[in-house]
Amino acid sequence: MKVAVAGTGYVGLVTAVCLAEIGHQVTCVDVDKNKIECLKKGKSPIYEADLEELMHKNKEHLTYTLDYHEAYPKADVIIVGVGTPERSDGSANLDYVYTVCKQIKEVSKDDKVVVIKSTVPIGTNDDIEEWLNQDSPIHFYVASNPEFLAQGTAVHDTLYPSRIVVGIEDDYSKKVMADLYHPLTIEPYCAPYLVMDRKSAEMVKYASNDFLALKISYINEIANFCEKIGADITEVTKGMSYDSRIGSKFLNAGIGYGGSCFPKDTKALHWLSKSIDCELKTIKACIEVNKNQKIKLFLEAYSDFKENIRGKIVTMLGLSFKPNTDDLREAPSIDNVELLLEHGAIVRVYDPIAIENFKNKFQDRVEYYSSIDEAIINADLVFIMTEAKEIKEYPISNYKTLMKTPYIYDGRNCYDLKEVEKAKIHYYSIGRRKI
């Protein structure tokens, strides 16, 4: 099939490349000239494992363009994968989605299936279909097709999805979508393929993401409680994980969730629930818990140093919201760096992938290092913000050897407490005893 994908961010670009991998002819459309030039050179504008390799492998099936006039009329299916950032009140901003839909309506010459892959509030697909077909000589069929990829594993998640969810209201788009995804429903991928109404499909996305966010916030609250009563959250979650109803995933206590999905989607669903007078109180609590959890390391260090960290050298290890990505959206590192600078600390940072993005945000307000050794020499404190492999495998004894005062605040519980005790360092982690 001929497919056009609007947007070359995480969702759009990964979707496009994976559809090319399963045999479709795909055109990627974006308004960012720099992105398109980068893609034409075979370079991905985002860091994602295996993405560039698949781009090169499928270069005969991929085209990149700024010209939607050329791309959309030729496509059998147009997938909208642009951002829906949150507004100041928490609601989703649909401006980019409607801009693309306006372009589609402007240039299309025959009936089109328009697939909304962007995360949108419930009812948006119905509204878009109605809007597209107003005073139109052709017919637009709109399908909801939420994505469930996770950054760092996005390519695998797209090719081997836990499920493909399609929300449709007509037989024509039902057939087109079945043809589009047929290769992923057979060997070697064998993805479950679920067809439902559009509102239910939209709700699956929010309900899934917000459930996972709730699970994270719940276990973080339990971890905070464990600190007060002297229990160990790692033992608690181990005991919980053997219950098949609970499972072991998303039970790692830490400094909260970040990224492009959980923060935005919890706020959006909370805003929507309030707007229809059906407030979801669990989601409201989840947002509040996460907001407080993100700055736990700063508050603990601030207390330990008797509210005086001015002039202290603080090294932050890990900057992205999770390992194996350079994405800083809603990353706890940002909140903590801002607080440290506000209170007069000297901040050093290290990350195996996200340094350049961090430089774009903080410029010369912090010091940048390419190795952990260099970053912690003569430091007073270390904040561990992500559980990157390089950080988890770093020798604990080096903190004692290289730092001025080895105070470690571990927001991801990277180290075994017995090993920490042997190293004789000051160590705080989430939901465990302080050493």
Side-chain angles (χ1 to χ4, degrees):
M1 295 177 71
K2 292 179 180 178
V3 181
V5 178
T8 58
Y10 279 95
V11 173
L13 185 57
V14 173
T15 298
V17 172
C18 290
L19 287 175
E21 169 71 6
I22 61 173
H24 298 299
Q25 197 68 36
V26 185
T27 300
C28 301
V29 185
D30 205 293
V31 297
D32 189 325
K33 184 178 180 181
N34 291 332
K35 271 189 177 182
I36 294 298
E37 290 304 316
C38 182
L39 288 163
K40 285 181 176 179
K41 294 174 183 175
K43 299 289 184 182
S44 171
I46 58 172
Y47 179 86
E48 189 59 47
D50 303 322
L51 186 58
E52 274 194 13
E53 181 183 338
L54 278 188
M55 285 171 57
H56 288 288
K57 179 184 175 186
N58 296 288
K59 60 184 179 182
E60 301 302 321
H61 296 283
L62 286 163
T63 305
Y64 310 101
T65 185
L66 296 163
D67 189 1
Y68 65 86
H69 296 84
E70 181 74 12
Y72 296 155
K74 294 180 179 179
D76 301 310
V77 176
I78 302 171
I79 297 175
V80 181
V82 295
T84 53
E86 67 179 83
R87 297 185 186 276
S88 58
D89 62 358
S91 63
N93 183 341
L94 300 178
D95 289 351
Y96 300 124
V97 172
Y98 271 99
T99 295
V100 172
C101 291
K102 182 180 179 182
Q103 294 168 348
I104 294 169
K105 186 173 183 177
E106 173 193 338
V107 302
S108 294
K109 296 178 175 60
D110 52 15
D111 293 357
K112 293 289 179 195
V113 174
V114 178
V115 180
I116 307 300
K117 190 164 275 292
S118 304
T119 302
V120 296
I122 293 83
T124 300
N125 280 266
D126 291 352
D127 294 341
I128 288 174
E129 184 172 87
E130 182 181 351
W131 181 83
L132 282 171
N133 285 301
Q134 282 177 357
D135 304 316
S136 174
I138 62 174
H139 194 83
F140 294 95
Y141 302 88
V142 175
S144 173
N145 179 213
E147 50 80 20
F148 302 100
L149 58 85
Q151 286 164 246
T153 58
V155 170
H156 182 273
D157 295 343
T158 305
L159 288 175
Y160 298 90
S162 57
R163 71 283 201 199
I164 298 170
V165 173
V166 176
I168 48 182
E169 304 287 344
D170 63 272
D171 291 336
Y172 179 70
S173 57
K174 182 177 182 179
K175 181 182 184 308
V176 170
M177 294 301 290
D179 290 343
L180 179 70
Y181 282 119
H182 175 70
L184 290 181
T185 64
I186 59 176
E187 293 284 354
Y189 307 109
C190 300
Y193 186 76
L194 308 177
V195 178
M196 60 191 70
D197 65 273
R198 285 191 296 233
K199 286 182 179 178
S200 295
E202 291 165 332
M203 191 63 205
V204 168
K205 171 66 173 180
Y206 280 110
S208 298
N209 275 0
D210 288 18
F211 178 81
L212 296 177
L214 276 164
K215 195 172 181 182
I216 293 168
S217 290
Y218 172 76
I219 210 61
N220 283 336
E221 284 227 287
I222 294 297
N224 297 342
F225 191 72
C226 285
E227 287 181 25
K228 298 290 186 183
I229 63 170
D232 187 327
I233 190 62
T234 56
E235 297 298 331
V236 173
T237 54
K238 182 180 178 181
M240 293 170 64
S241 69
Y242 283 88
D243 189 326
S244 60
R245 297 169 300 174
I246 297 172
S248 60
K249 293 183 178 180
F250 292 86
L251 284 185
N252 295 321
I255 46 175
Y257 56 76
S260 61
C261 291
F262 291 176
K264 176 172 69 73
D265 292 352
T266 49
K267 292 173 190 173
L269 189 59
H270 179 244
W271 178 88
L272 185 60
S273 72
K274 286 182 67 178
S275 73
I276 60 172
D277 196 26
C278 185
E279 184 178 36
L280 298 171
K281 293 179 175 60
T282 51
I283 304 300
K284 180 181 180 181
C286 172
I287 295 167
E288 186 64 26
V289 168
N290 195 65
K291 179 182 176 182
N292 295 331
Q293 197 73 13
K294 289 169 78 171
I295 59 171
K296 268 185 73 72
L297 299 192
F298 172 81
L299 294 176
E300 191 68 26
Y302 193 59
S303 173
D304 285 348
F305 282 80
K306 297 179 171 54
E307 302 184 2
N308 183 20
I309 57 174
R310 182 168 298 278
K312 300 293 183 186
I313 298 174
V314 183
T315 298
M316 190 163 289
L317 301 180
L319 303 172
S320 55
F321 80 95
K322 64 183 286 190
N324 302 317
T325 179
D326 60 356
D327 196 344
L328 299 174
R329 284 176 288 183
E330 298 282 347
S333 62
I334 294 173
D335 300 80
N336 284 271
V337 166
E338 293 286 9
L339 282 168
L340 289 166
L341 293 173
E342 219 175 275
H343 287 80
I346 300 163
V347 180
R348 300 174 177 177
V349 298
Y350 163 81
D351 189 283
I353 298 170
I355 282 286
E356 290 305 315
N357 283 353
F358 212 74
K359 283 181 181 177
N360 293 336
K361 185 169 185 65
F362 283 94
Q363 285 89 40
D364 60 357
R365 296 171 64 198
V366 303
E367 301 172 9
Y368 303 92
Y369 291 84
S370 58
S371 76
I372 298 177
D373 282 352
E374 292 175 331
I376 69 171
I377 288 175
N378 292 323
D380 297 291
L381 302 83
V382 162
F383 282 13
I384 297 176
M385 310 302 287
T386 63
E387 63 275 32
K389 180 181 178 184
E390 293 85 345
I391 298 168
K392 289 180 72 173
E393 295 180 356
Y394 186 72
I396 302 173
S397 59
N398 285 12
Y399 293 114
K400 176 80 169 179
T401 305
L402 297 175
M403 291 178 67
K404 182 180 178 182
T405 54
Y407 278 78
I408 313 301
Y409 297 86
D410 185 355
R412 300 299 180 188
N413 293 358
C414 290
Y415 303 127
D416 182 88
L417 292 183
K418 291 178 182 177
E419 295 301 314
V420 170
E421 281 185 310
K422 291 178 187 176
K424 297 181 179 178
I425 60 176
H426 300 273
Y427 184 76
Y428 169 78
S429 54
I430 307 298
R432 305 190 292 179
R433 62 189 172 88
K434 202 168 181 177
I435 294 173

